[in-house]
């Protein structure tokens, strides 16, 4: 049975350390029971150190939501991937649509991926179109996002990258606004085809996740019929009971 990957993207929440430790405590006390799931929690930077002291097992990993493309130096306000690994995190989300909306380009994402990997982080690379059109322009957009983000990245390093496909139009909505599982499956095949064209058939093992209004109600259909390796969960990851339910459902999928 292939392990599912369930990632929590807390975004800029919660607002204080007590609420963050409370939420994390509930997850760390329950998620490890589901041995068929790898859980990755991505809190705001400021909570990473505290949360990593609370858990020492291997079933849950911590991730950051961004990292800078330089190792260190005069970059006020930025966070080095080395500082993230030093806090005990193993993952970083790069290219999230929230960051792309603030001006992050594929070129920037590409530089960030390279530095993060050399610092020893695994990368969760987010891609996704903002709208769909009848001429398939969105497919060209996705292809370009993948090609430019992965420019100069070796096949060996691709194994340190998980791709999270998140159609922007489906993010942060109610459960029935998530993408249809059949379309998720189509996109997974498309992404793998693009990867195969860049590298070779051996990269078909790359992990592909879906994100965008996923929750307990659609976890099973998205993973089963969408045939993805797991989910990148936003707002539903802030409610411990819902997030644990997602993990439980994913754990039960053969
Ligand atoms: P959502 O967010 O689950 O709230 O749609 C997903 C994401 O933005 O990563």
């Amino acid at each position: 049975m292939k392990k599912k990957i369930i990632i929590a993207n807390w975004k800029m929440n919660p607002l204080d350390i007590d609420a963050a430790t409370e939420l994390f405590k509930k997850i760390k006390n329950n998620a490890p029971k589901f041995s068929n799931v790898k859980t990755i929690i991505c809190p705001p930077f400021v909570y990473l150190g505290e949360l990593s002291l609370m858990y020492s097992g291997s079933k849950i990993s911590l991730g950051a939501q961004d990292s800078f493309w330089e190792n260190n130096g005069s970059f006020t306000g930025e966070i080095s991937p080395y500082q993230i690994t030093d806090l005990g995190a193993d993952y970083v989300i790069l290219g999230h649509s929230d960051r792309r909306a603030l001006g992050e380009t594929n070129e920037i994402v590409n530089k960030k991926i390279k530095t993060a990997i050399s610092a020893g982080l695994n990368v969760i690379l987010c891609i996704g179109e903002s709208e769909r059109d009848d001429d398939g322009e969105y497919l060209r957009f996705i292809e370009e996002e993948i090609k430019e983000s992965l420019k100069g990245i070796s096949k060996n390093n691709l194994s340190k990258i998980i791709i999270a496909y998140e159609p922007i139009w489906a993010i942060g909505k109610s459960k029935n606004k998530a993408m249809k599982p059949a379309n998720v499956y189509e996109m997974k095949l498309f992404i793998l085809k693009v990867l195969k064209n860049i590298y070779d058939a051996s990269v078909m093992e790359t992990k592909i996740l879906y994100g965008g209004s996923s929750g307990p109600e659609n976890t099973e259909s998205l993973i089963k019929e969408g045939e993805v390796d797991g989910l990148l969960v936003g707002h539903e990851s802030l409610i411990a009971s819902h997030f644990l339910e997602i993990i439980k459902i994913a754990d039960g999928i053969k």
Side-chain angles (χ1 to χ4, degrees):
M1 210 142 110
K2 240 165 72 183
K3 249 191 183 182
K4 307 293 182 301
I5 303 167
I6 302 292
I7 305 178
N9 178 10
W10 289 3
K11 307 192 181 184
M12 203 169 70
N13 303 291
L15 289 187
D16 60 73
I17 186 70
D18 288 346
T21 50
E22 197 51 38
L23 176 57
F24 186 68
K25 207 183 284 169
K26 288 182 186 153
I27 294 162
K28 79 164 176 85
N29 289 345
N30 293 287
K33 292 178 203 152
F34 303 103
S35 57
N36 188 35
V37 172
K38 167 83 180 164
T39 304
I40 304 168
I41 308 292
C42 301
F45 288 123
V46 288
Y47 302 141
L48 275 173
E50 185 88 11
L51 301 189
S52 94
L53 293 175
M54 291 171 64
Y55 180 77
S56 56
S58 61
K59 297 266 166 48
I60 302 175
S61 293
L62 287 170
Q65 298 171 12
D66 187 29
S67 62
F68 197 54
W69 66 74
E70 292 286 350
N71 296 335
N72 67 303
S74 206
F75 304 103
T76 303
E78 296 294 349
I79 310 275
S80 163
Y82 286 89
Q83 294 166 331
I84 293 167
T85 52
D86 185 53
L87 289 180
D90 296 315
Y91 290 83
V92 61
I93 297 174
L94 291 175
H96 191 279
S97 57
D98 290 346
R99 298 214 56 83
R100 292 183 190 263
L102 296 172
E104 194 155 294
T105 61
N106 289 328
E107 194 187 345
I108 292 175
V109 173
N110 177 254
K111 289 202 285 185
K112 288 183 170 183
I113 294 176
K114 288 174 177 160
T115 318
I117 289 179
S118 33
L121 287 171
N122 295 290
V123 171
I124 300 147
L125 166 62
C126 297
I127 55 168
E129 77 283 1
S130 56
E131 56 186 11
R132 292 215 150 187
D133 60 294
D134 295 336
D135 303 326
E137 192 53 47
Y138 69 95
L139 291 173
R140 280 185 283 281
F141 177 85
I142 296 288
E143 181 169 6
E144 189 174 295
E145 266 194 329
I146 299 173
K147 283 188 171 155
E148 292 187 2
S149 304
L150 296 178
K151 202 175 270 174
I153 289 168
S154 68
K155 194 170 88 175
N156 191 32
N157 280 340
L158 183 70
S159 66
K160 295 169 190 137
I161 300 175
I162 295 168
I163 296 190
Y165 170 64
E166 301 200 300
I168 298 169
W169 48 268
I171 290 179
K173 306 269 169 44
S174 59
K175 59 180 189 286
N176 50 4
K177 291 284 189 327
M179 190 181 230
K180 301 277 166 289
N183 298 128
V184 171
Y185 181 58
E186 273 170 22
M187 288 312 294
K188 177 200 149 152
L189 293 182
F190 179 75
I191 292 162
L192 287 175
K193 193 181 97 187
V194 173
L195 291 177
K196 187 175 155 220
N197 289 345
I198 305 173
Y199 299 95
D200 57 44
S202 67
V203 301
M204 304 295 269
E205 292 295 302
T206 305
K207 300 269 187 286
I208 314 284
L209 312 185
Y210 168 79
S213 301
S214 59
E217 294 86 356
N218 54 24
T219 292
E220 177 154 13
S221 58
L222 285 167
I223 296 181
K224 234 180 175 168
E225 295 161 43
E227 293 197 27
V228 282
D229 297 286
L231 300 171
L232 175 50
V233 187
H235 63 280
E236 289 281 36
S237 71
L238 294 169
I239 305 166
S241 58
H242 290 198
F243 189 62
L244 287 166
E245 186 64 19
I246 292 171
I247 293 171
K248 185 179 165 198
I249 295 166
D251 185 72
I253 298 173
K254 298 276 178 299

